[in-house]
Amino acid sequence: SEVVLWARWLPLTVSGLFGSLAAAAYLRMGEKGVYLRKIDERLSAAGLGWEKEFSKRPRIMGAFYTLSWGALNLAGLITGLALPFPQATT
């Protein structure tokens, strides 16, 4: 039926929607990080800064989430294209 034809694209659509929301949140956190970095620079002059303690760790989470989201979308696209279309019975 017509619903089945469009239902195969539902996972890709939901993944794209939530990926967009996650990207918006990630960008907003980046803006807050810039603000906190400015505060830390002021505090580090007095010996109270904390950012240098966290700068030793590699920044991998953003890349990991991006690659995972891309793989999820690729799987949704492949699934949507690979599944045979059902024959309409009318």
Side-chain angles (χ1 to χ4, degrees):
S1 75
E2 186 72 24
V3 174
V4 176
L5 292 175
W6 293 106
R8 71 175 57 204
W9 299 109
L10 188 61
L12 186 62
T13 304
V14 171
S15 175
L17 174 68
F18 285 115
S20 299
L21 292 172
Y26 186 76
L27 292 173
R28 182 68 177 145
M29 285 187 288
E31 292 172 353
K32 292 180 180 183
V34 169
Y35 173 72
L36 288 174
R37 191 172 300 120
K38 289 179 184 178
I39 291 174
D40 184 59
E41 289 172 359
R42 304 281 178 155
L43 290 174
S44 64
L48 300 173
W50 54 268
E51 188 69 29
K52 62 184 174 187
E53 296 297 324
F54 294 110
S55 65
K56 299 173 187 171
R57 298 180 185 162
R59 303 174 91 186
I60 192 169
M61 293 309 291
F64 175 74
Y65 286 142
T66 303
L67 288 174
S68 299
W69 180 70
L72 181 64
N73 283 329
L74 183 63
L77 184 64
I78 290 171
T79 303
L81 292 174
L83 288 176
F85 284 99
Q87 300 298 325
T89 56
T90 55

